[in-house]
DNA sequence: ACCTGAACACCGTTCAAGT
DNA sequence: ACCTGAACACCGTTCAAGT
């Protein structure tokens, strides 16, 4: 179980352990029930220890949200690499990645935009991760514009619309509107593709 | 200050007073800082009193969310009445009403889909309010289909796309992505109309 | 430099007791 | 029937003290 990390085990990179423990707890419990003390205990450390690594509870939550935005950016980058010459497909693929990430870790997606943290007033790393994720989606939209397949419109407006739709859909699906929790993964994929198709129709030239 | 309500003042409809107090506190403080004890104090009552009217804190939050869905439904109904023969305009108008409600009461919109409550497993009144709001938007979409102005598509998918986009945009704007908090009301209106235009383009026949 | 133990103020919730 | 007071277990946060 020994890794190549500099610090042996018991002490060392507690920061990452706390993030991992918090993420694990969020898989089982709701956002409201998540307590810093419990996270500390799960990481095998005292109540006060987390405060060496996070200013307060919000700072830990910001770190979790940052991880979410990094995942979203990774999904966008992957979509661009996978379909280098098909911007429309990039957009759909990125959207589906977003949706499946939300299904996998609903609590993370919720805290990214649930009002618990403010992107206007947060630590620099979170702000940067959010901007980069948004920027990567903006690239995908830009690819379509350069290819001349989209209608004339402000790129920023298109990007905002795409993110809004995909994020909104993710919340509908994870938030429980219309008994979606009982739907199978295949059904959810079909749902996502339908919505992506309608969104894309609004982007394309007519 | 005497109303026609059956109960005089000091005792009586504490339930509504608690809801009002909670809503008022949410205008100033974040969702995390809202405590039941504080709500009780604001309503001039003891810590334990709310438990005569709400099973627990979640039940109070559900009541707040219910109010939000009722507002959303009201916006949809208003839009249908205002433009009886123009389904596309109904859709844009309802979306703008949603957006402005979110700007006015961001905390309410956040708790409606923020994962704090689950629409799959909540009290009947909240479930009904959510379904009715969703149903009213479905009517607006159906109006467009009946008028034959929308592309061939499952009405449920169109409705889901519309709600997702508008809800997602509301969260982008209230959640602080891309310094929107500094934007004026006029700018936000323009932003909303741009997104609504792109969404609508995806709905319309080509 | 990083962690612990104990403490403080606060919170959700319960329950006997009051009116 | 509705509300209060006091209590219990829990939480975020701080700080002196340990290693």
């Amino acid at each position: 179980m020994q890794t190549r990390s500099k610090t042996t085990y018991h002490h060392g990179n507690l920061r990452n352990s706390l993030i991992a423990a918090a993420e694990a707890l969020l898989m089982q419990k709701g956002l409201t029930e998540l307590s810093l003390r419990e996270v500390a205990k799960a990481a095998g450390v005292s109540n006060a220890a987390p405060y060496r690594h996070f200013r307060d509870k919000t700072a830990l939550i910001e770190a979790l949200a940052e991880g979410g935005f990094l995942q979203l950016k990774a999904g966008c980058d992957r979509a661009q690499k996978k379909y280098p010459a098909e911007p429309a497909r990039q957009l759909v693929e990125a959207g589906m990645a977003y949706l499946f990430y939300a299904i996998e870790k609903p609590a993370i997606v919720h805290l990214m935009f649930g009002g618990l943290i403010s992107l206007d007033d947060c630590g620099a790393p979170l702000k940067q991760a959010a901007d980069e994720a948004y920027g990567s989606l903006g690239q995908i939209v830009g690819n379509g514009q350069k290819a001349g397949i989209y209608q004339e419109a402000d790129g920023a407006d298109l990007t905002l619309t795409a993110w809004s739709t995909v994020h909104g859909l993710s919340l509908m699906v994870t938030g429980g509107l219309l008994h979606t929790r009982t739907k199978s993964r295949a059904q959810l994929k079909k749902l996502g593709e339908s919505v992506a198709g309608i969104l894309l129709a609004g982007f394309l030239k007519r």
Side-chain angles (χ1 to χ4, degrees), chain A:
Chain A
M1 200 56 175
Q2 185 143 358
T3 72
R4 221 182 284 158
S5 68
K6 252 167 209 158
T7 49
T8 54
Y9 186 59
H10 203 77
H11 311 92
N13 61 343
L14 177 58
R15 191 191 145 92
N16 286 343
S17 299
L18 290 168
I19 292 176
E23 212 157 333
L25 285 169
L26 269 182
M27 304 286 276
Q28 308 160 1
K29 324 185 65 176
L31 239 164
T32 320
E33 290 102 309
L34 185 76
S35 82
L36 211 47
R37 289 170 104 109
E38 201 176 11
V39 171
K41 192 190 291 182
V45 87
S46 81
N47 298 333
Y51 288 87
R52 281 308 122 186
H53 301 274
F54 298 101
R55 196 176 12 83
D56 53 18
K57 190 182 178 184
T58 300
L60 207 205
I61 291 180
E62 284 188 6
L64 294 177
E66 185 190 340
F69 280 111
L70 291 178
Q71 289 295 321
L72 263 34
K73 171 171 162 48
C76 288
D77 292 346
R78 223 166 22 236
Q80 289 196 70
K81 264 186 199 138
K82 195 168 169 187
Y83 303 105
E86 299 166 276
R89 214 171 268 275
Q90 290 171 10
L91 190 62
V92 173
E93 186 84 356
M96 294 303 291
Y98 197 125
L99 179 61
F100 281 113
Y101 179 70
I103 292 167
E104 195 192 345
K105 303 195 172 174
I108 304 284
V109 172
H110 283 139
L111 59 78
M112 284 192 280
F113 290 104
L116 291 183
I117 58 178
S118 162
L119 258 15
D120 271 349
D121 178 29
C122 67
L126 171 57
K127 178 69 177 150
Q128 188 183 340
D131 284 348
E132 282 181 11
Y134 200 79
S136 191
L137 179 65
Q139 277 181 24
I140 290 179
V141 170
N143 292 341
Q145 289 188 305
K146 275 179 218 143
I149 61 172
Y150 292 158
Q151 56 163 307
E152 286 296 323
D154 187 351
D157 289 347
L158 290 174
T159 304
L160 179 61
T161 304
W163 191 302
S164 295
T165 303
V166 174
H167 179 62
L169 175 62
S170 299
L171 291 190
M172 295 301 117
V173 168
T174 61
L177 196 62
L178 305 187
H179 19 74
T180 45
R181 201 153 58 183
T182 65
K183 282 192 163 51
S184 72
R185 197 175 171 88
Q187 283 173 306
L188 290 173
K189 191 179 174 191
K190 204 173 156 191
L191 208 62
E193 280 165 352
S194 288
V195 171
I198 295 166
L199 172 68
L200 192 60
F203 277 41
L204 294 172
K205 271 185 179 151
R206 40 196 54 236

